[in-house]
């Protein structure tokens, strides 16, 4: 099956488990904003059903879902241009997720590195949902027949699994029904690293708050975290090749490039030869200039949660215009009896 048989449609999601950080912004949300103008339809989702694969306090989950919606909108995702939803308001995600639980193979799921990382030595005691997580993720995407999925680098394996599920479904039922989705993993910041360790991904689960910049951090906190970010003793190189073997330097340069919307080569043409004492204040000024308006707008939007709820309710209605017919057709293909229409 060729991609061209499907209308380009973008879908992506983020877990509302709190602590939206610079990695989420540069690796995902910033790309969501540009992509909403590049295709006719884009759907962005707070994946609350995914979030509860690990324990979430119900009050926190509600707060974090609204805060993530505020983060999307404050970053430039327009509810007029994109469909903005929380996953649980569109039941077809979970319904198609069940069908995909019956398509995906145990062996495929057991290979998922994110499950292995999250379960760690505790694999017997994690939820069944955490294991099945990638099948629901495939359903999120395919229940829209989405063709393009912007994500950070850590989601690559899950998107390969999505393609495997679509291929197996199409093959088993002898149809060309689900598209073979393209991951969109692009830009200088597809993998933003910890500010404390350039070999570790920036993550909300890192116990050190100094390892990440949160989207709700104020200007002083951002400046302090960048000032304290781990670096090496050398000056910055003038070409990207000179960043090899220097993970912390590479990370800060990548962050600068992504925030400024320029290439790493352009950054280094400017700052090559400078030491970190000179570069860090430049990075910190840029980060504050780009992020402060977003955190300010998030706080403003959060002062009217009812408006956020209205946006999500409208998004769910628009989403279901797409998902209901796709799920019905899937049920027909699988052989589920339903009332004649
Ligand atoms: P989540 O919530 O862990 O992360 C949301 C997005 O942020 C990206 N990201 C990063 N990018 C660069 N550097 C980092 N340090 C960094 N940390 C996180 C992630 O790659 C992701 O794009 N499984 C997904 C949520 C999901 C989803 C989907 C995504 C559920 N269904 C369908 C796409 C399509 C997740 O846990 O993302």
């Amino acid at each position: 099956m060729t991609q061209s048989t499907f209308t380009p449609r973008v879908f992506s999601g983020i877990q509302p488990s709190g602590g939206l950080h610079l990695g989420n912004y540069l690796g995902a949300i910033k790309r969501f904003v540009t992509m909403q103008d590049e295709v006719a339809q884009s759907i962005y989702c707070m994946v609350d059903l995914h979030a509860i694969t690990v324990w979430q306090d119900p009050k926190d989950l509600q707060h974090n879902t609204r805060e993530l919606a505020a983060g999307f909108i404050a970053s430039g995702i327009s509810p007029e241009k994109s469909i903005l939803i929380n996953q649980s308001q569109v039941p077809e995600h979970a319904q198609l997720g069940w069908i995909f639980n019956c398509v995906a193979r145990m062996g495929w799921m057991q290979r998922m590195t994110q499950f292995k990382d999250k379960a760690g030595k505790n694999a017997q005691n994690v939820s069944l949902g955490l294991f099945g997580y990638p099948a629901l993720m495939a359903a999120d995407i395919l229940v829209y027949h989405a063709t393009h999925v912007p994500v950070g680098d850590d989601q690559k394996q899950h998107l390969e699994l999505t393609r495997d599920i679509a291929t197996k479904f199409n093959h088993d039922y002898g149809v060309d029904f689900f598209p073979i989705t393209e991951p969109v993993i692009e830009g200088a910041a597809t993998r933003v690293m910890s500010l404390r360790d350039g070999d570790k991904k920036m993550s909300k689960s890192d116990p050190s708050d100094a390892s990440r910049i949160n989207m709700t951090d104020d200007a002083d906190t951002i400046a302090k975290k960048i000032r304290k970010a781990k670096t090496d003793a050398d000056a910055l190189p003038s070409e990207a090749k000179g960043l090899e073997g220097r993970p912390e330097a590479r990370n800060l340069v990548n962050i600068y490039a992504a925030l400024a919307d320029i290439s790493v080569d352009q950054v280094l043409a400017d700052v090559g030869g400078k030491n970190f004492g000179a570069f860090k204040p430049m990075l910190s000024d840029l980060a504050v200039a780009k992020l402060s308006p977003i955190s300010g707008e998030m706080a403003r939007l959060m002062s009217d949660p009812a408006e956020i709820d209205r946006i999500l309710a409208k998004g769910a209605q628009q989403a279901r215009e797409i998902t209901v017919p796709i799920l019905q057709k899937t049920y027909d293909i699988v052989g589920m009896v339903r009332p004649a229409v």
Side-chain angles (χ1 to χ4, degrees):
M1 179 170 53
T2 57
Q3 201 61 78
S4 58
T5 53
F6 290 90
T7 318
R9 188 179 276 158
V10 170
F11 179 93
S12 198
I14 296 188
Q15 295 193 60
S17 41
L20 196 63
H21 56 75
L22 186 66
N24 300 133
Y25 176 65
L26 294 178
I29 300 177
K30 201 159 176 293
R31 296 288 298 130
F32 300 176
V33 176
T34 48
M35 289 190 86
Q36 79 181 342
D37 293 320
E38 289 166 5
V39 291
Q41 209 160 32
S42 43
I43 303 106
Y44 298 121
C45 183
M46 285 119 256
V47 290
D48 46 13
L49 297 173
H50 277 109
I52 61 162
T53 56
V54 299
W55 170 251
Q56 304 291 326
D57 177 90
K59 279 215 154 51
D60 292 347
L61 181 61
Q62 280 189 343
H63 172 86
N64 291 335
T65 302
R66 292 186 180 117
E67 189 174 77
L68 179 54
F72 277 159
I73 299 166
S75 301
I77 292 170
S78 153
E80 307 305 319
K81 290 187 197 167
S82 295
I83 299 176
L84 207 56
I85 51 165
N86 60 313
Q87 191 183 26
S88 58
Q89 284 203 66
V90 184
E92 292 72 28
H93 288 236
Q95 288 175 287
L96 185 62
W98 180 258
I99 306 266
F100 287 171
N101 279 343
C102 303
V103 174
R105 305 288 94 181
M106 288 291 285
W108 300 358
M109 310 303 272
Q110 276 159 349
R111 280 196 290 277
M112 293 295 114
T113 55
Q114 235 177 39
F115 174 75
K116 290 192 243 179
D117 290 348
K118 284 193 182 168
K121 291 196 179 70
N122 203 21
Q124 292 302 309
N125 207 26
V126 295
S127 73
L128 185 56
L130 191 68
F131 187 68
Y133 180 117
L136 178 60
M137 178 163 163
D140 295 338
I141 297 164
L142 295 174
V143 79
Y144 295 91
H145 279 185
T147 54
H148 294 81
V149 182
V151 282
D153 178 70
D154 60 352
Q155 296 301 313
K156 201 171 172 178
Q157 197 187 29
H158 287 160
L159 292 183
E160 279 160 13
L161 186 99
T162 300
R163 294 165 67 98
D164 290 344
I165 288 176
T167 304
K168 182 163 163 55
F169 182 97
N170 288 343
H171 176 266
D172 288 354
Y173 291 101
V175 290
D176 271 356
F177 186 60
F178 287 116
I180 308 304
T181 302
E182 289 297 327
V184 183
I185 304 175
E186 284 172 0
T190 55
R191 194 173 181 81
V192 177
M193 308 309 279
S194 155
L195 298 178
R196 308 300 302 159
D197 178 352
D199 291 321
K200 247 169 72 181
K201 194 181 68 170
M202 183 178 285
S203 149
K204 66 185 134 209
S205 56
D206 193 315
S208 163
D209 192 58
S211 70
R212 64 185 159 262
I213 293 174
N214 303 302
M215 295 304 287
T216 47
D217 283 345
D218 60 23
D220 284 348
T221 312
I222 294 174
K224 192 165 149 216
K225 286 179 177 175
I226 292 179
R227 200 162 55 240
K228 289 196 161 171
K230 187 176 166 201
T231 51
D232 54 41
D234 295 340
L236 284 158
S238 305
E239 289 174 13
K241 203 157 59 70
L243 293 170
E244 274 167 29
R246 301 179 63 188
E248 283 84 15
R250 179 198 297 275
N251 188 37
L252 295 186
V253 171
N254 281 349
I255 292 174
Y256 192 100
L259 281 170
D261 276 320
I262 56 178
S263 69
V264 166
D265 287 326
Q266 281 171 295
V267 178
L268 293 177
D270 264 4
V271 304
K274 282 196 199 316
N275 59 27
F276 285 101
F279 178 61
K280 279 182 169 178
M282 290 172 63
L283 177 58
S284 154
D285 287 350
L286 177 65
V288 169
K290 296 283 179 180
L291 303 180
S292 289
I294 299 177
S295 61
E297 181 62 4
M298 275 172 81
R300 193 190 67 77
L301 291 164
M302 282 302 279
S303 68
D304 187 3
E307 175 58 15
I308 295 180
D309 291 1
R310 273 192 291 277
I311 290 170
L312 296 181
K314 181 173 148 238
Q317 222 174 21
Q318 293 172 316
R320 297 196 72 206
E321 284 170 23
I322 306 171
T323 59
V324 168
I326 290 179
L327 184 78
Q328 283 179 347
K329 182 79 183 107
T330 310
Y331 276 6
D332 290 343
I333 292 170
V334 172
M336 305 286 175
V337 173
R338 61 183 179 89
V341 272

